[in-house]
């Protein structure tokens, strides 16, 4: 059994498990996001269709937009806003300045294509702390899928829910109907499941947020090329994950996946709703189940989600009376269609699997750039391996 399964397996619903095929071999690895130890445990349910060839200068028009692929090419997806937080979508390559570890880099690929296929992963928190807001999350997610997923453009999405376990409800699909039918299945664990099931584990508590991000990135997104985003709906409170916050972020960075977080928090104390008072059981023994006594303040879920999004090139949204989850999804849809795609070949050859800092800015000082802040360089092959 390999490393990923040992850490935590992503549970698939039975009907999907029978449909899994072995079609990943035809896919290319995302530049600047190396595969870690060949740890892929999940096979995709359909052949991915993202373009995988380098754009070449040609007098003939492109039939379909392409993303550059070169041996050492690093790809950066960026969104630019003005002082009023309005998206700026008319910049050229010459408007940007890019650095790696403080050294200026030459941008060799640039595109503003909004017709490129998009892959989205929806990660929905179904723990008990979300049970009063889950209906709103379900409805808004269905509307987002309906208005964003373009079947004719080969967009695709998958759906994961997480509470005391992480479960793939819907594998990669371009079918809105399939996704919406699975969204209808979202529900929080029933309270009676909190009793001992005879295996020594207690179900009903736990929120495996970090495990969900890791598995969505490492098992689902890693081998896909192109525009990729994960959207998390949660209060940001992790309880019981085997993965850490740092390893969850690293997995998304390696998969070159932008993470957007939607903070959806029920202001009523959990204990007042008949819950367990915030102890958390951490199902399957995940990390021992982090317990936070009532007198001890738990980690700030908002800061956690904000860090995840910032370090992967996304951003945090917070549901409020002034900003509904439907309005947030509308903003997300617009942002995902207005990204710039920049590619460069680092001037420094990778000599270790270290983390390289990226700083992307515009030459217009009054504009703000949203992009990932780094990547993990590939580990070079040993001399013995090349002989």
């Amino acid at each position: 059994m390999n490393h990923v399964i040992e850490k935590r397996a992503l549970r698939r619903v039975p009907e999907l498990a029978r449909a899994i095929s072995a079609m990943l071999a035809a896919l290319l690895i995302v530049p600047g996001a190396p595969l870690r130890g060949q740890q892929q445990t999940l096979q995709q349910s359909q052949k991915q269709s993202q373009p995988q060839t380098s754009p070449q200068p040609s007098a003939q028009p492109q039939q379909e937009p392409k993303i550059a692929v070169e041996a050492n090419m690093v790809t950066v997806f960026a969104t630019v806003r003005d002082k009023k937080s309005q998206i700026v979508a008319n910049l050229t390559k010459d408007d940007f300045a890019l650095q790696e570890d403080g050294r200026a880099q030459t941008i060799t690929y640039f595109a503003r294509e909004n017709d490129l296929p998009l892959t989205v992963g929806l990660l929905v928190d179904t723990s008990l702390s979300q049970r009063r807001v889950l209906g709103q999350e379900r409805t808004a997610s269905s509307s987002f899928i309906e208005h964003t997923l373009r079947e004719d453009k080969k967009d695709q999405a998958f759906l994961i829910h997480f509470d005391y376990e992480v479960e793939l409800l819907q594998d990669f699909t371009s079918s809105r109907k399939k996704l919406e039918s699975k969204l209808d299945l979202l529900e929080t664990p029933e309270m009676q499941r909190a009793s001992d099931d005879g295996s020594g584990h207690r179900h009903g508590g736990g929120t495996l947020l970090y495990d969900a991000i890791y598995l969505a990135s490492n098992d689902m997104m890693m081998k896909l090329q192109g525009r990729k985003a994960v959207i998390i709906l949660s209060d940001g409170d992790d309880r019981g994950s085997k993965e850490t916050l740092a390893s969850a972020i690293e997995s998304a960075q390696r998969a070159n996946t932008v993470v957007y977080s939607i903070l959806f928090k029920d202001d009523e104390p959990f204990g007042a709703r008949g819950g367990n008072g915030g102890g958390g059981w951490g199902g399957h023994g995940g990390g021992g189940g982090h317990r936070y006594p009532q007198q001890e303040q738990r980690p700030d879920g908002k800061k956690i989600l904000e860090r995840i999004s910032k370090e992967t090139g996304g951003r945090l949204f917070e549901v409020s009376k002034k900003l509904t989850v439907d309005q947030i999804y509308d903003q997300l849809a617009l942002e995902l269609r207005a990204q710039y795609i920049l590619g460069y070949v680092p001037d420094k050859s990778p000599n270790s699997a270290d983390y390289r800092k990226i700083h992307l800015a515009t030459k217009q000082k009054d504009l703000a750039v949203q992009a990932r802040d780094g990547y993990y360089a590939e580990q070079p092959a040993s001399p013995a391996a090349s002989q």
Side-chain angles (χ1 to χ4, degrees):
M1 185 175 294
N2 64 30
H3 172 69
V4 172
I5 292 181
E6 288 175 354
K7 294 187 76 62
R8 185 179 301 279
L10 175 58
R11 190 165 74 84
R12 293 171 177 263
V13 290
E15 66 269 25
L16 290 174
R18 293 192 295 267
I20 304 304
S21 61
M23 304 182 74
L24 281 177
L27 295 174
L28 295 178
I29 298 176
V30 176
L35 182 63
R36 184 167 64 181
Q38 298 297 327
Q39 295 173 340
Q40 306 305 303
T41 63
L42 299 179
Q43 296 175 327
Q44 315 303 333
S45 63
Q46 62 184 40
K47 186 175 181 181
Q48 307 307 320
S49 59
Q50 282 88 340
Q52 300 179 2
T53 57
S54 302
Q56 300 294 333
S58 172
Q60 298 180 352
Q62 293 281 346
Q63 294 273 330
E64 184 177 330
K66 308 291 182 182
I67 288 185
V69 177
E70 294 183 20
N72 297 321
M73 176 78 72
V74 177
T75 305
V76 182
F77 299 93
T79 303
V80 181
R81 290 184 176 81
D82 60 21
K83 289 182 177 180
K84 297 181 179 180
S85 295
Q86 299 299 309
I87 290 178
V88 179
N90 61 350
L91 300 180
T92 68
K93 179 177 71 173
D94 294 335
D95 291 316
F96 288 90
L98 190 151
Q99 294 182 342
E100 178 180 296
D101 288 341
R103 302 184 311 277
Q105 304 293 314
T106 301
I107 299 171
T108 56
Y109 177 76
F110 179 85
R112 292 195 307 259
E113 302 288 355
N114 59 12
D115 284 336
L116 286 170
L118 173 67
T119 301
V120 176
L122 286 178
L123 275 58
V124 182
D125 184 347
T126 52
S127 63
L128 292 175
S129 64
Q130 296 295 97
R131 65 180 183 177
R132 293 209 320 161
V133 298
L134 190 58
Q136 297 176 60
E137 294 178 348
R138 186 189 300 114
T139 301
S141 297
S142 179
S143 178
F144 173 76
I145 291 296
E146 177 67 25
H147 293 95
T148 304
L149 198 70
R150 307 164 304 176
E151 296 177 345
D152 60 328
K153 297 293 185 180
K154 301 178 182 178
D155 290 349
Q156 57 183 352
F158 62 87
L159 173 65
I160 286 175
H161 84 94
F162 60 95
D163 37 60
Y164 69 86
E165 66 180 356
V166 181
E167 182 180 18
L168 179 67
L169 288 179
Q170 176 59 58
D171 210 324
F172 291 106
T173 182
S174 294
S175 170
R176 298 171 185 164
K177 185 177 181 180
K178 286 183 179 179
L179 286 161
E180 290 170 359
S181 68
K182 296 303 182 182
L183 282 167
D184 290 338
L185 300 179
L186 290 175
E187 59 183 6
T188 56
E190 297 176 356
M191 290 301 296
Q192 55 263 36
R193 295 173 70 182
S195 61
D196 195 304
D197 62 4
S199 65
H201 302 308
R202 301 191 68 186
H203 295 171
T207 310
L208 308 187
L209 170 62
Y210 304 156
D211 287 353
I213 296 171
Y214 178 88
L215 292 166
S217 302
N218 195 66
D219 287 16
M220 304 297 289
M221 293 293 205
M222 180 67 80
K223 278 196 170 184
L224 300 186
Q225 184 206 343
R227 296 153 65 93
K228 300 178 291 184
V230 162
I231 300 172
I232 302 171
L233 291 97
S234 177
D235 59 8
D237 184 10
D238 182 280
R239 306 183 204 174
S241 283
K242 285 188 174 180
E243 295 297 330
T244 64
L245 174 58
S247 63
I249 292 173
E250 178 182 336
S251 68
Q253 291 171 332
R254 289 184 180 276
N256 197 10
T257 298
V258 179
V259 180
Y260 293 94
S261 300
I262 300 178
L263 177 64
F264 210 144
K265 187 176 181 180
D266 189 351
D267 292 330
E268 184 179 340
F270 185 34
R273 300 195 304 275
N276 62 0
W281 295 306
H284 304 289
H290 305 306
R291 291 183 176 273
Y292 304 105
Q294 289 188 350
Q295 66 269 23
E296 179 183 340
Q297 185 177 3
R298 294 201 298 265
D300 189 328
K302 179 177 180 178
K303 290 182 179 179
I304 288 172
L305 293 176
E306 190 171 34
R307 177 182 168 186
I308 293 169
S309 293
K310 181 179 183 298
E311 295 187 18
T312 58
R315 65 173 175 141
L316 169 71
F317 297 87
E318 184 173 3
V319 178
S320 65
K321 293 181 180 179
K322 294 183 178 181
L323 186 62
T324 68
V325 67
D326 293 275
Q327 292 172 323
I328 289 172
Y329 268 134
D330 288 342
Q331 292 184 28
L332 265 174
L334 177 62
E335 182 165 319
L336 289 171
R337 299 298 172 203
Q339 288 178 318
Y340 295 94
I341 308 167
L342 302 93
Y344 72 99
V345 177
D347 63 343
K348 178 182 177 183
S349 298
N351 52 16
S352 65
D354 59 352
Y355 186 74
R356 308 287 182 80
K357 294 287 291 183
I358 295 174
H359 178 70
L360 180 65
T362 64
K363 296 175 183 178
Q364 297 176 242
K365 302 302 182 182
D366 58 341
L367 300 181
V369 177
Q370 173 187 312
R372 61 172 173 160
D373 62 4
Y375 72 99
Y376 285 88
E378 292 189 33
Q379 177 69 52
S382 65
S386 62
Q387 293 178 356

